[in-house]
Amino acid sequence: MKRREQSQTEQLRQALAEREAQLQEARVRLAAVEGSTSLQVGRALTAAAKKPGRSLVKLPRDLYRLWRRSGTTRHTERRRGVEPVRSFDADRQEARLLTGVPGGSEDLLVAATVVGPAIAEAIDPYVHPVSLRPHDAQIVMDGVDVDLVLVSASAAAPGSPWAHVGDPAVVDRTRALHWVLESAAARGIPTVLIDDEPAPPALRAMGFDRVHKGDAGVPLHLFNPVAAHLTPGPQAVFVRGHRDEPVPDVLTELGAGVVDADSSGLAEALRAANVAVVPAFPSEDVRLRRRAWACGTRVIAHAAVPDPAGPAAEGLAVTVPRLRAEEPTPSEQRGMLRQVFLREATPVRLAEILDGLDFPPGTPGAELPLRGRSVAVLADPAGESDAELLADDLLAAALRPTEVVVPSTASRLPGIRRLRAEGVTVRTARFSAPDTPEELTRGTPDVRVGGLGPERWAVLAERATAPWAHLWTAPVGRRRLADLVCAVECSDADAVGTVDLGAGEDGGGPDGRPREDGARGFFDRPGTSGQQYVFVSAVVPELARTGLLRRGWDPAEWNRRGTRLLALGPDHGTGTDSDAEDAVYNTTDAPTGAVG
């Protein structure tokens, strides 16, 4: 009986909180309507119609005052003295199910967006965007429960639905966006402006909770070196900051390609080139430099070249041919991409932008954009020495794993206890029975990983909560896990590993020659093993989706079941990843003609 009364009390409390939230939002909307210029003009005209005598004389003066006041309206003023009332988490999830917005609190943040095309493409894999337009902003905001309102200055560019928003000459769009911000404030939803392009100053003064100066980072699903060797194009490319920028004569003589910085083909042009020449302006240099690095392309920053025979032109005439003749080494390519992945990629930038904002209850918040990088390390250490190697390897990794899953028999090993002491979540799994001799010989050696079959890895994967799982069998070095996660973020592959060429040396057959029977795929040739980012039909998996491992399938069958498999070549670097090595890729203030 007491439990039933408690349940009824909880239901009444939730209903009361919902009614208070609706009442508060109605009050805010009523105050906005009463303070609007349209209502005040209507009242003045009504008063003049009721009393034509003196009111008609005062009407021009009143209208003039309203006009002057409307031009200096301060949108930054917030409704004071009223705290937002937020719905309970259960109510928010129920509303999302009814409105058809999936996965708000588990997978992606639900964001109402007023953004430009570049920002929309960059954030699409990391948030669930609900696009707002001036004519339906109120309807969408009323019908969808969102976690965030995201606006970009590039949305005010000419030709977009929100063109010139914030300009006093475009009152309707400015009023619609102001209503969106007021509605978000009433619900306790944070609002963010990404100030990525020049925009009307009034847009920045509309009362956003945070204004971020810069863009949304480098979207690695667009700018990456995957299949770069298949992209035809010139070995050098000139990236123009704007369409009217002249192309240096020396680059024209060298046969360099030309692409605009805002072109949709920028990523393909950068992938096809060995060297990119970018303008040395603070607003463009850093943004284009990071995008070129993500595509595995060296960068030369230059200023305007008015004198064809000047020192700047001579520098380009010498530097461009030298770099154009030399392809970036795999180690250099991986180093450039790794720095962008760890510091400048879109999920990292979004996490920085959202850090510290006050999200509604039930919303994970700023850490959710990085959820796609969470990795569970699956390991079966044979003894204390293996456990110590596992701890040393993971604690020194450039990308720390979210959790480690080991058999219950290994949970008390010193290395596993050291991982717990360092704050790494350790989960244990219990095997129903040890491997029998029949299970050990069930699969061929090239489909087993570290002596464990698919069934044993599936048991470990069942305990993991991260979306990705790393099959640890031996130390992989400080950078390997970061490179694997970076590869799946670039390619959207289901599994990443080394090329599975079969049982023979350098090939698919026992005699060392590639298989021709299709067992490993027609395109899997020995030459594939030296390439860094290439889709293949079979891999020895190192990183895979946790849900894929839970199925217990033989890795040799993954391609036949519709999975995307990416082969990542070995890293031939020094293996130290020192600060001096990283500093090569962190130069932002490069002089004219400098190479980055």
Side-chain angles (χ1 to χ4, degrees):
M1 187 67 182
K2 185 178 295 184
R3 182 179 300 175
R4 181 181 299 177
E5 293 177 354
Q6 183 178 2
S7 176
Q8 293 177 352
T9 303
E10 184 66 22
Q11 292 177 4
L12 292 174
R13 185 180 302 157
Q14 293 182 7
L16 179 60
E18 188 67 28
R19 297 299 181 273
E20 289 179 354
Q22 294 176 359
L23 178 60
Q24 178 176 318
E25 188 170 352
R27 288 175 178 172
V28 172
R29 294 181 182 180
L30 179 60
V33 171
E34 290 181 348
S36 65
T37 304
S38 301
L39 182 61
Q40 295 180 19
V41 170
R43 286 177 175 175
L45 294 176
T46 303
K50 288 181 177 180
K51 297 180 180 179
R54 188 174 180 181
S55 298
L56 285 176
V57 178
K58 296 170 55 180
L59 182 60
R61 183 186 60 183
D62 294 341
L63 294 178
Y64 177 74
R65 288 178 178 176
L66 291 175
W67 175 76
R68 290 289 302 273
R69 195 182 308 164
S70 65
T72 58
T73 300
R74 295 182 60 187
H75 297 302
T76 56
E77 296 180 357
R78 293 294 185 97
R79 306 292 183 243
R80 299 180 180 179
V82 181
E83 291 295 330
V85 178
R86 297 162 173 171
S87 306
F88 285 80
D89 182 37
D91 295 333
R92 301 182 71 242
Q93 296 306 316
E94 180 181 358
R96 284 182 174 157
L97 289 175
L98 293 175
T99 55
V101 178
S105 63
E106 295 183 0
D107 302 320
L108 301 173
L109 285 171
V110 180
T113 59
V114 180
V115 297
I119 299 294
E121 290 182 349
I123 67 174
D124 183 65
Y126 311 108
V127 300
H128 183 93
V130 179
S131 180
L132 302 180
R133 297 176 180 83
H135 65 277
D136 65 358
Q138 183 172 352
I139 300 175
V140 174
M141 286 292 292
D142 285 339
V144 179
D145 187 12
V146 299
D147 303 314
L148 172 72
V149 175
L150 191 62
V151 182
S152 73
S154 55
S160 68
W162 293 90
H164 308 290
V165 62
D167 194 309
V170 187
V171 181
D172 55 341
R173 296 167 191 168
T174 304
R175 184 186 297 117
L177 182 57
H178 181 240
W179 184 93
V180 170
L181 299 181
E182 289 285 356
S183 177
R187 303 187 204 177
I189 300 172
T191 57
V192 176
L193 172 65
I194 299 179
D195 193 6
D196 57 335
E197 290 185 6
L203 179 62
R204 303 176 182 87
M206 292 185 70
F208 292 93
D209 294 321
R210 178 164 297 170
V211 177
H212 169 72
K213 186 67 176 178
D215 59 5
V218 182
L220 292 181
H221 63 286
L222 301 176
F223 294 89
N224 56 69
V226 177
H229 63 287
L230 299 178
T231 305
Q235 294 174 314
V237 63
F238 175 66
V239 184
R240 295 188 299 189
H242 53 84
R243 297 182 183 276
D244 298 332
E245 183 177 359
V247 181
D249 295 338
V250 61
L251 296 181
T252 304
E253 296 173 358
L254 292 174
V258 179
V259 64
D260 295 328
D262 57 353
S263 171
S264 59
L266 177 61
E268 291 293 331
L270 292 176
R271 268 191 288 267
N274 294 343
V275 57
V277 182
V278 302
F281 303 118
S283 59
E284 292 289 343
D285 181 17
V286 175
R287 185 178 72 90
L288 294 175
R289 183 184 295 269
R290 299 295 189 265
R291 280 158 171 75
W293 287 354
C295 295
T297 306
R298 296 190 184 99
V299 178
I300 299 177
H302 83 98
V305 190
D307 185 5
E314 293 180 358
L316 288 177
V318 174
T319 307
V320 171
R322 177 174 58 84
L323 295 179
R324 190 174 60 176
E326 303 173 2
E327 291 188 6
T329 64
S331 178
E332 182 182 358
Q333 184 183 68
R334 292 268 284 275
M336 292 188 292
L337 179 60
R338 187 185 308 117
Q339 297 308 313
V340 176
F341 167 76
L342 294 174
R343 305 177 186 180
E344 302 290 339
T346 296
V348 177
R349 184 67 54 81
L350 285 177
E352 294 175 356
I353 294 174
L354 304 180
D355 185 32
L357 292 177
D358 188 15
F359 284 92
T363 306
E367 69 276 9
L368 202 54
L370 291 172
R371 169 67 178 168
R373 295 186 175 185
S374 300
V375 179
V377 175
L378 313 182
D380 186 12
E384 293 185 3
S385 59
D386 275 3
E388 290 292 343
L389 290 175
L390 172 65
D392 292 340
D393 196 30
L394 299 186
L395 294 178
L399 180 67
R400 277 271 187 109
T402 305
E403 57 189 0
V404 177
V405 184
V406 296
S408 56
T409 55
S411 60
R412 297 186 178 276
L413 294 176
I416 305 302
R417 288 186 290 180
R418 181 152 65 96
L419 287 173
R420 285 197 183 98
E422 292 291 338
V424 180
T425 301
V426 178
R427 306 183 189 277
T428 59
R430 186 180 299 275
F431 294 114
S432 58
D435 281 336
T436 62
E438 292 78 9
E439 289 176 334
L440 289 173
T441 58
R442 179 179 301 172
T444 56
D446 60 332
V447 299
R448 300 178 62 82
V449 182
L452 295 181
E455 297 84 359
R456 306 279 286 184
W457 288 117
V459 174
L460 296 176
E462 285 290 345
R463 292 284 295 144
T465 61
W468 295 98
H470 171 51
L471 284 65
W472 190 92
T473 58
V476 295
R478 179 174 183 264
R479 304 176 292 194
R480 184 66 179 180
L481 184 57
D483 290 342
L484 291 170
V485 180
C486 177
V488 297
E489 188 170 312
C490 290
S491 62
D492 194 28
D494 298 309
V496 181
T498 55
V499 178
D500 183 4
L501 293 175
E505 296 181 3
D506 298 330
D511 55 355
R513 292 180 298 176
R515 293 181 184 268
E516 298 294 345
D517 57 0
R520 288 289 175 263
F522 180 78
F523 293 102
D524 292 343
R525 293 294 184 262
T528 308
S529 60
Q531 297 176 2
Q532 291 295 309
Y533 303 90
V534 57
F535 284 101
V536 294
S537 62
V539 295
V540 178
E542 297 182 61
L543 183 75
R545 296 188 188 274
T546 306
L548 178 61
L549 290 174
R550 288 172 183 163
R551 296 179 179 272
W553 292 339
D554 191 328
E557 302 173 359
W558 285 0
N559 182 59
R560 302 178 186 179
R561 296 180 182 269
T563 58
R564 292 163 54 88
L565 308 178
L566 185 77
L568 180 64
D571 185 7
H572 299 290
T574 60
T576 59
D577 198 20
S578 62
D579 294 336
E581 181 182 355
D582 291 347
V584 177
Y585 309 110
N586 291 328
T587 305
T588 56
D589 299 326
T592 301
V595 181

mmCIF file of all heavy atoms in Angstrom, residues 157-194:
data_model
loop_
_atom_site.group_PDB
_atom_site.id
_atom_site.type_symbol
_atom_site.label_atom_id
_atom_site.label_comp_id
_atom_site.label_asym_id
_atom_site.label_seq_id
_atom_site.Cartn_x
_atom_site.Cartn_y
_atom_site.Cartn_z
ATOM 1 N N ALA A 157 24.860 34.075 -43.899
ATOM 2 C CA ALA A 157 25.442 34.382 -45.207
ATOM 3 C C ALA A 157 24.345 34.579 -46.242
ATOM 4 O O ALA A 157 23.265 33.978 -46.146
ATOM 5 C CB ALA A 157 26.381 33.259 -45.638
ATOM 6 N N PRO A 158 24.567 35.413 -47.237
ATOM 7 C CA PRO A 158 23.555 35.613 -48.288
ATOM 8 C C PRO A 158 23.231 34.304 -49.003
ATOM 9 O O PRO A 158 24.102 33.477 -49.264
ATOM 10 C CB PRO A 158 24.228 36.612 -49.233
ATOM 11 C CG PRO A 158 25.256 37.309 -48.401
ATOM 12 C CD PRO A 158 25.740 36.295 -47.419
ATOM 13 N N GLY A 159 21.959 34.125 -49.301
ATOM 14 C CA GLY A 159 21.509 32.939 -49.993
ATOM 15 C C GLY A 159 20.996 31.838 -49.101
ATOM 16 O O GLY A 159 20.376 30.885 -49.585
ATOM 17 N N SER A 160 21.218 31.907 -47.799
ATOM 18 C CA SER A 160 20.736 30.891 -46.872
ATOM 19 C C SER A 160 19.357 31.293 -46.346
ATOM 20 O O SER A 160 18.954 32.453 -46.442
ATOM 21 C CB SER A 160 21.706 30.724 -45.703
ATOM 22 O OG SER A 160 21.703 31.885 -44.886
ATOM 23 N N PRO A 161 18.586 30.345 -45.781
ATOM 24 C CA PRO A 161 17.261 30.706 -45.250
ATOM 25 C C PRO A 161 17.310 31.763 -44.158
ATOM 26 O O PRO A 161 16.342 32.509 -43.987
ATOM 27 C CB PRO A 161 16.734 29.361 -44.710
ATOM 28 C CG PRO A 161 17.473 28.315 -45.464
ATOM 29 C CD PRO A 161 18.834 28.896 -45.724
ATOM 30 N N TRP A 162 18.409 31.816 -43.406
ATOM 31 C CA TRP A 162 18.552 32.811 -42.341
ATOM 32 C C TRP A 162 19.467 33.956 -42.767
ATOM 33 O O TRP A 162 20.139 34.556 -41.932
ATOM 34 C CB TRP A 162 19.112 32.153 -41.085
ATOM 35 C CG TRP A 162 18.181 31.175 -40.439
ATOM 36 C CD1 TRP A 162 18.082 29.849 -40.691
ATOM 37 C CD2 TRP A 162 17.208 31.453 -39.430
ATOM 38 N NE1 TRP A 162 17.121 29.278 -39.913
ATOM 39 C CE2 TRP A 162 16.560 30.239 -39.120
ATOM 40 C CE3 TRP A 162 16.812 32.628 -38.755
ATOM 41 C CZ2 TRP A 162 15.549 30.155 -38.162
ATOM 42 C CZ3 TRP A 162 15.812 32.539 -37.802
ATOM 43 C CH2 TRP A 162 15.188 31.321 -37.517
ATOM 44 N N ALA A 163 19.504 34.275 -44.032
ATOM 45 C CA ALA A 163 20.410 35.311 -44.531
ATOM 46 C C ALA A 163 20.193 36.631 -43.791
ATOM 47 O O ALA A 163 19.062 37.071 -43.597
ATOM 48 C CB ALA A 163 20.205 35.502 -46.033
ATOM 49 N N HIS A 164 21.319 37.246 -43.364
ATOM 50 C CA HIS A 164 21.333 38.561 -42.718
ATOM 51 C C HIS A 164 20.573 38.569 -41.396
ATOM 52 O O HIS A 164 20.124 39.634 -40.941
ATOM 53 C CB HIS A 164 20.762 39.637 -43.653
ATOM 54 C CG HIS A 164 21.385 39.663 -45.006
ATOM 55 N ND1 HIS A 164 22.686 40.082 -45.229
ATOM 56 C CD2 HIS A 164 20.902 39.285 -46.221
ATOM 57 C CE1 HIS A 164 22.974 39.978 -46.511
ATOM 58 N NE2 HIS A 164 21.911 39.505 -47.144
ATOM 59 N N VAL A 165 20.412 37.411 -40.752
ATOM 60 C CA VAL A 165 19.750 37.409 -39.459
ATOM 61 C C VAL A 165 20.577 38.220 -38.468
ATOM 62 O O VAL A 165 21.804 38.150 -38.442
ATOM 63 C CB VAL A 165 19.560 35.962 -38.956
ATOM 64 C CG1 VAL A 165 20.886 35.246 -38.750
ATOM 65 C CG2 VAL A 165 18.755 35.941 -37.672
ATOM 66 N N GLY A 166 19.932 39.006 -37.665
ATOM 67 C CA GLY A 166 20.600 39.941 -36.769
ATOM 68 C C GLY A 166 20.724 41.332 -37.325
ATOM 69 O O GLY A 166 20.995 42.284 -36.586
ATOM 70 N N ASP A 167 20.499 41.498 -38.634
ATOM 71 C CA ASP A 167 20.529 42.817 -39.257
ATOM 72 C C ASP A 167 19.197 43.519 -38.980
ATOM 73 O O ASP A 167 18.126 42.915 -39.128
ATOM 74 C CB ASP A 167 20.745 42.677 -40.763
ATOM 75 C CG ASP A 167 21.129 43.988 -41.420
ATOM 76 O OD1 ASP A 167 20.413 44.981 -41.195
ATOM 77 O OD2 ASP A 167 22.132 44.014 -42.146
ATOM 78 N N PRO A 168 19.210 44.799 -38.566
ATOM 79 C CA PRO A 168 17.943 45.503 -38.308
ATOM 80 C C PRO A 168 17.026 45.560 -39.526
ATOM 81 O O PRO A 168 15.812 45.723 -39.375
ATOM 82 C CB PRO A 168 18.400 46.905 -37.896
ATOM 83 C CG PRO A 168 19.790 46.727 -37.394
ATOM 84 C CD PRO A 168 20.376 45.622 -38.206
ATOM 85 N N ALA A 169 17.582 45.396 -40.738
ATOM 86 C CA ALA A 169 16.742 45.444 -41.931
ATOM 87 C C ALA A 169 15.960 44.143 -42.141
ATOM 88 O O ALA A 169 15.021 44.122 -42.934
ATOM 89 C CB ALA A 169 17.598 45.728 -43.166
ATOM 90 N N VAL A 170 16.357 43.072 -41.460
ATOM 91 C CA VAL A 170 15.673 41.780 -41.606
ATOM 92 C C VAL A 170 15.004 41.476 -40.268
ATOM 93 O O VAL A 170 15.491 40.676 -39.468
ATOM 94 C CB VAL A 170 16.659 40.673 -42.014
ATOM 95 C CG1 VAL A 170 15.921 39.376 -42.330
ATOM 96 C CG2 VAL A 170 17.483 41.097 -43.211
ATOM 97 N N VAL A 171 13.871 42.114 -40.033
ATOM 98 C CA VAL A 171 13.228 42.035 -38.730
ATOM 99 C C VAL A 171 12.584 40.676 -38.507
ATOM 100 O O VAL A 171 12.632 40.137 -37.397
ATOM 101 C CB VAL A 171 12.181 43.168 -38.594
ATOM 102 C CG1 VAL A 171 11.508 43.113 -37.233
ATOM 103 C CG2 VAL A 171 12.831 44.519 -38.820
ATOM 104 N N ASP A 172 11.998 40.072 -39.538
ATOM 105 C CA ASP A 172 11.246 38.835 -39.342
ATOM 106 C C ASP A 172 12.156 37.688 -38.910
ATOM 107 O O ASP A 172 11.838 36.936 -37.985
ATOM 108 C CB ASP A 172 10.490 38.480 -40.614
ATOM 109 C CG ASP A 172 11.395 38.404 -41.829
ATOM 110 O OD1 ASP A 172 12.509 38.966 -41.770
ATOM 111 O OD2 ASP A 172 11.002 37.778 -42.840
ATOM 112 N N ARG A 173 13.334 37.529 -39.562
ATOM 113 C CA ARG A 173 14.234 36.436 -39.194
ATOM 114 C C ARG A 173 14.864 36.681 -37.827
ATOM 115 O O ARG A 173 15.038 35.744 -37.039
ATOM 116 C CB ARG A 173 15.319 36.280 -40.259
ATOM 117 C CG ARG A 173 14.753 35.877 -41.620
ATOM 118 C CD ARG A 173 15.765 36.022 -42.719
ATOM 119 N NE ARG A 173 15.143 35.873 -44.027
ATOM 120 C CZ ARG A 173 15.718 36.165 -45.162
ATOM 121 N NH1 ARG A 173 16.963 36.626 -45.171
ATOM 122 N NH2 ARG A 173 15.078 36.003 -46.309
ATOM 123 N N THR A 174 15.198 37.931 -37.560
ATOM 124 C CA THR A 174 15.765 38.241 -36.249
ATOM 125 C C THR A 174 14.754 37.974 -35.146
ATOM 126 O O THR A 174 15.100 37.444 -34.080
ATOM 127 C CB THR A 174 16.226 39.705 -36.216
ATOM 128 O OG1 THR A 174 17.145 39.943 -37.279
ATOM 129 C CG2 THR A 174 16.893 40.037 -34.900
ATOM 130 N N ARG A 175 13.493 38.334 -35.385
ATOM 131 C CA ARG A 175 12.458 38.080 -34.389
ATOM 132 C C ARG A 175 12.257 36.580 -34.178
ATOM 133 O O ARG A 175 12.070 36.125 -33.051
ATOM 134 C CB ARG A 175 11.138 38.730 -34.820
ATOM 135 C CG ARG A 175 10.030 38.591 -33.773
ATOM 136 C CD ARG A 175 8.708 39.121 -34.283
ATOM 137 N NE ARG A 175 8.788 40.549 -34.555
ATOM 138 C CZ ARG A 175 8.632 41.086 -35.756
ATOM 139 N NH1 ARG A 175 8.396 40.310 -36.805
ATOM 140 N NH2 ARG A 175 8.709 42.385 -35.915
ATOM 141 N N ALA A 176 12.303 35.790 -35.266
ATOM 142 C CA ALA A 176 12.124 34.350 -35.138
ATOM 143 C C ALA A 176 13.264 33.726 -34.331
ATOM 144 O O ALA A 176 13.026 32.874 -33.452
ATOM 145 C CB ALA A 176 12.044 33.709 -36.517
ATOM 146 N N LEU A 177 14.506 34.128 -34.588
ATOM 147 C CA LEU A 177 15.628 33.587 -33.826
ATOM 148 C C LEU A 177 15.576 34.038 -32.375
ATOM 149 O O LEU A 177 15.892 33.277 -31.455
ATOM 150 C CB LEU A 177 16.949 34.009 -34.477
ATOM 151 C CG LEU A 177 18.223 33.467 -33.821
ATOM 152 C CD1 LEU A 177 18.195 31.937 -33.765
ATOM 153 C CD2 LEU A 177 19.463 33.948 -34.547
ATOM 154 N N HIS A 178 15.154 35.290 -32.155
ATOM 155 C CA HIS A 178 15.033 35.777 -30.783
ATOM 156 C C HIS A 178 13.983 34.967 -30.021
ATOM 157 O O HIS A 178 14.154 34.645 -28.839
ATOM 158 C CB HIS A 178 14.658 37.261 -30.785
ATOM 159 C CG HIS A 178 14.528 37.850 -29.417
ATOM 160 N ND1 HIS A 178 13.363 38.408 -28.956
ATOM 161 C CD2 HIS A 178 15.416 37.934 -28.398
ATOM 162 C CE1 HIS A 178 13.527 38.820 -27.716
ATOM 163 N NE2 HIS A 178 14.764 38.560 -27.360
ATOM 164 N N TRP A 179 12.896 34.608 -30.692
ATOM 165 C CA TRP A 179 11.880 33.780 -30.037
ATOM 166 C C TRP A 179 12.451 32.411 -29.685
ATOM 167 O O TRP A 179 12.154 31.855 -28.616
ATOM 168 C CB TRP A 179 10.670 33.616 -30.958
ATOM 169 C CG TRP A 179 9.555 32.853 -30.315
ATOM 170 C CD1 TRP A 179 8.489 33.347 -29.629
ATOM 171 C CD2 TRP A 179 9.428 31.415 -30.277
ATOM 172 N NE1 TRP A 179 7.705 32.326 -29.167
ATOM 173 C CE2 TRP A 179 8.259 31.123 -29.537
ATOM 174 C CE3 TRP A 179 10.176 30.366 -30.783
ATOM 175 C CZ2 TRP A 179 7.820 29.827 -29.317
ATOM 176 C CZ3 TRP A 179 9.759 29.075 -30.551
ATOM 177 C CH2 TRP A 179 8.589 28.809 -29.828
ATOM 178 N N VAL A 180 13.273 31.823 -30.553
ATOM 179 C CA VAL A 180 13.890 30.525 -30.274
ATOM 180 C C VAL A 180 14.768 30.611 -29.025
ATOM 181 O O VAL A 180 14.727 29.734 -28.149
ATOM 182 C CB VAL A 180 14.710 30.055 -31.490
ATOM 183 C CG1 VAL A 180 15.561 28.840 -31.133
ATOM 184 C CG2 VAL A 180 13.799 29.721 -32.658
ATOM 185 N N LEU A 181 15.556 31.675 -28.912
ATOM 186 C CA LEU A 181 16.422 31.830 -27.750
ATOM 187 C C LEU A 181 15.615 32.042 -26.480
ATOM 188 O O LEU A 181 15.973 31.525 -25.405
ATOM 189 C CB LEU A 181 17.389 32.997 -27.973
ATOM 190 C CG LEU A 181 18.342 32.864 -29.173
ATOM 191 C CD1 LEU A 181 19.255 34.074 -29.265
ATOM 192 C CD2 LEU A 181 19.148 31.583 -29.091
ATOM 193 N N GLU A 182 14.525 32.799 -26.565
ATOM 194 C CA GLU A 182 13.674 33.001 -25.396
ATOM 195 C C GLU A 182 13.018 31.697 -24.961
ATOM 196 O O GLU A 182 12.926 31.386 -23.767
ATOM 197 C CB GLU A 182 12.594 34.052 -25.722
ATOM 198 C CG GLU A 182 13.115 35.469 -25.857
ATOM 199 C CD GLU A 182 13.445 36.075 -24.504
ATOM 200 O OE1 GLU A 182 13.187 35.416 -23.471
ATOM 201 O OE2 GLU A 182 13.959 37.202 -24.467
ATOM 202 N N SER A 183 12.568 30.899 -25.923
ATOM 203 C CA SER A 183 11.964 29.611 -25.595
ATOM 204 C C SER A 183 12.982 28.677 -24.964
ATOM 205 O O SER A 183 12.674 27.946 -24.012
ATOM 206 C CB SER A 183 11.373 28.984 -26.862
ATOM 207 O OG SER A 183 10.832 27.711 -26.597
ATOM 208 N N ALA A 184 14.222 28.684 -25.470
ATOM 209 C CA ALA A 184 15.263 27.850 -24.887
ATOM 210 C C ALA A 184 15.587 28.285 -23.463
ATOM 211 O O ALA A 184 15.794 27.449 -22.573
ATOM 212 C CB ALA A 184 16.517 27.894 -25.759
ATOM 213 N N ALA A 185 15.618 29.590 -23.221
ATOM 214 C CA ALA A 185 15.889 30.082 -21.864
ATOM 215 C C ALA A 185 14.782 29.677 -20.905
ATOM 216 O O ALA A 185 15.043 29.350 -19.739
ATOM 217 C CB ALA A 185 16.046 31.598 -21.888
ATOM 218 N N ALA A 186 13.538 29.676 -21.360
ATOM 219 C CA ALA A 186 12.432 29.278 -20.503
ATOM 220 C C ALA A 186 12.504 27.804 -20.133
ATOM 221 O O ALA A 186 12.078 27.412 -19.045
ATOM 222 C CB ALA A 186 11.097 29.580 -21.194
ATOM 223 N N ARG A 187 13.048 26.975 -21.022
ATOM 224 C CA ARG A 187 13.154 25.539 -20.741
ATOM 225 C C ARG A 187 14.478 25.157 -20.081
ATOM 226 O O ARG A 187 14.680 23.998 -19.733
ATOM 227 C CB ARG A 187 13.035 24.746 -22.039
ATOM 228 C CG ARG A 187 11.763 24.989 -22.821
ATOM 229 C CD ARG A 187 11.712 24.016 -23.986
ATOM 230 N NE ARG A 187 10.880 24.503 -25.072
ATOM 231 C CZ ARG A 187 10.718 23.883 -26.219
ATOM 232 N NH1 ARG A 187 11.362 22.748 -26.428
ATOM 233 N NH2 ARG A 187 9.943 24.368 -27.168
ATOM 234 N N GLY A 188 15.389 26.095 -19.946
ATOM 235 C CA GLY A 188 16.692 25.764 -19.385
ATOM 236 C C GLY A 188 17.612 25.080 -20.352
ATOM 237 O O GLY A 188 18.496 24.314 -19.945
ATOM 238 N N ILE A 189 17.452 25.315 -21.653
ATOM 239 C CA ILE A 189 18.279 24.694 -22.688
ATOM 240 C C ILE A 189 19.414 25.646 -23.044
ATOM 241 O O ILE A 189 19.167 26.812 -23.344
ATOM 242 C CB ILE A 189 17.434 24.368 -23.930
ATOM 243 C CG1 ILE A 189 16.309 23.398 -23.570
ATOM 244 C CG2 ILE A 189 18.294 23.798 -25.042
ATOM 245 C CD1 ILE A 189 15.320 23.187 -24.685
ATOM 246 N N PRO A 190 20.661 25.214 -23.025
ATOM 247 C CA PRO A 190 21.772 26.115 -23.364
ATOM 248 C C PRO A 190 21.774 26.492 -24.840
ATOM 249 O O PRO A 190 21.345 25.717 -25.703
ATOM 250 C CB PRO A 190 23.019 25.297 -22.995
ATOM 251 C CG PRO A 190 22.572 23.877 -23.048
ATOM 252 C CD PRO A 190 21.128 23.867 -22.646
ATOM 253 N N THR A 191 22.251 27.682 -25.117
ATOM 254 C CA THR A 191 22.339 28.207 -26.484
ATOM 255 C C THR A 191 23.781 28.592 -26.768
ATOM 256 O O THR A 191 24.447 29.208 -25.934
ATOM 257 C CB THR A 191 21.420 29.420 -26.676
ATOM 258 O OG1 THR A 191 21.752 30.437 -25.713
ATOM 259 C CG2 THR A 191 19.964 29.024 -26.478
ATOM 260 N N VAL A 192 24.271 28.233 -27.969
ATOM 261 C CA VAL A 192 25.678 28.449 -28.341
ATOM 262 C C VAL A 192 25.713 29.082 -29.724
ATOM 263 O O VAL A 192 24.983 28.668 -30.629
ATOM 264 C CB VAL A 192 26.467 27.123 -28.338
ATOM 265 C CG1 VAL A 192 27.893 27.344 -28.831
ATOM 266 C CG2 VAL A 192 26.474 26.509 -26.950
ATOM 267 N N LEU A 193 26.570 30.074 -29.884
ATOM 268 C CA LEU A 193 26.842 30.687 -31.188
ATOM 269 C C LEU A 193 28.263 30.346 -31.590
ATOM 270 O O LEU A 193 29.223 30.644 -30.862
ATOM 271 C CB LEU A 193 26.661 32.199 -31.132
ATOM 272 C CG LEU A 193 27.102 32.962 -32.391
ATOM 273 C CD1 LEU A 193 26.218 32.594 -33.584
ATOM 274 C CD2 LEU A 193 27.095 34.467 -32.170
ATOM 275 N N ILE A 194 28.427 29.702 -32.747
ATOM 276 C CA ILE A 194 29.748 29.438 -33.328
ATOM 277 C C ILE A 194 30.053 30.589 -34.275
ATOM 278 O O ILE A 194 29.475 30.703 -35.352
ATOM 279 C CB ILE A 194 29.773 28.092 -34.066
ATOM 280 C CG1 ILE A 194 29.457 26.952 -33.095
ATOM 281 C CG2 ILE A 194 31.118 27.858 -34.724
ATOM 282 C CD1 ILE A 194 29.435 25.586 -33.740
#
